Amino acid sequence: MDGPTTPVDRRRLLALIGASSAVALAGCAGGGDDGDGSPPTDTPTPSDVVPEEYRTAASLNDRQRDPDALSAKSDVNYQDEPDDGQQCSGCAYYIPDRNGDGVGACSIVEGNIEPSGYCVSYAAHEEGTSTDGDSTGDGEPSLAPADVPGDAECAVCGMTVANFPEWNAQTVHEDDTREFFCTAGCATTYYAVTDQFADTDAAIAGLWVRDFDSRELVDGTSASYALETDSDRVDDPMRLNPAPFATREDAVAYVEAVAHLTVEDIVELSAFDRDLAEQYRGRLIE
Ligand code: SF4
């Protein structure tokens, strides 16, 4: 295989997307390998070409890029512009520029990634936060959400949490034990039946879930949860989850938009007990 694209080449490639033929761009990029580890094709998409040093590089949250397990840009609504102040350079999955051309890559999305870009899988990277969540390094719990480690398994169902960037949740105990979850349903089940799932006796010190509307991590201890009961209404992991909202107003708007829920179906985290946990994860509760 020819060497990686030079910085100038890559900038030019990005600028030329849509203006030149795919075949011509493949030639500029160095021949028959598309740079992403996939089999050579005659007409690779220009935006799929990343220099060799990015193929299996680690992102800001230490998640290693797997060239065979990347989302297509179109699937995550990638754009080259920021969204409401959020951009790739501040995302946990961003792989910063490694060759001086100002363009980086991403550990979960294909192709070259502009630092000013954005997609719906955005997850804010907190500077200095390690992947195990102990940002203080002193054993004290960090009362802030941490980046999801690439190999973290949901503490309730065992699924790989990083595969669900729009749905995942997490908690931290007072002894700094941090657990991650695929969804709010698993997080609230863990909260309700902690004895079954936790590896520690320390109390829960913080819990974060993804706001149903914004998909941002919000404080799960003050969130309002709409107790969704229709497993076919939302295309979410594990099929059925309570819908968390940062504000009660948003939860009210949610239940008012569906016929089968009322404001009586809005609860706080403290309402989650074994009965509610069984409603969402009954088959996983002993
Ligand atoms: S915003 Fe999307 S494309 Fe950009 S680094 Fe994050 S996950 Fe990757």
Side-chain angles (χ1 to χ4, degrees), residues 14 17 38 51 77 104 135 142 157 181 186 190 194 200 227 245 250 262:
L14 293 173
I17 290 170
S38 56
N77 294 340
S135 63
S142 170
C157 73
F181 312 98
C186 283
Y190 182 94
T194 309
T200 175
L227 298 176
F245 294 93
D250 287 342
T262 73

Side-chain angles (χ1 to χ4, degrees), residues 158-248:
M159 292 205 295
T160 300
V161 176
N163 289 343
F164 308 101
E166 294 187 4
W167 301 96
N168 62 38
Q170 59 184 273
T171 191
V172 66
H173 291 257
E174 288 183 350
D175 64 356
D176 204 35
T177 299
R178 188 171 295 258
E179 298 288 359
F180 297 88
F181 312 98
C182 62
T183 53
C186 283
T188 51
T189 295
Y190 182 94
Y191 173 87
V193 199
T194 309
D195 289 352
Q196 178 182 327
F197 297 105
D199 291 329
T200 175
D201 293 330
I204 288 176
L207 186 146
W208 298 267
V209 291
R210 299 237 167 226
D211 181 276
F212 187 83
D213 286 338
S214 71
R215 305 297 192 213
E216 293 295 316
L217 278 175
V218 298
D219 185 349
T221 66
S222 60
S224 293
Y225 298 81
L227 298 176
E228 181 59 74
T229 56
D230 183 354
S231 61
D232 294 327
R233 183 168 184 274
V234 181
D235 185 18
D236 48 358
M238 301 297 284
R239 296 212 60 202
L240 187 61
N241 293 282
F245 294 93
T247 67
R248 180 173 172 80

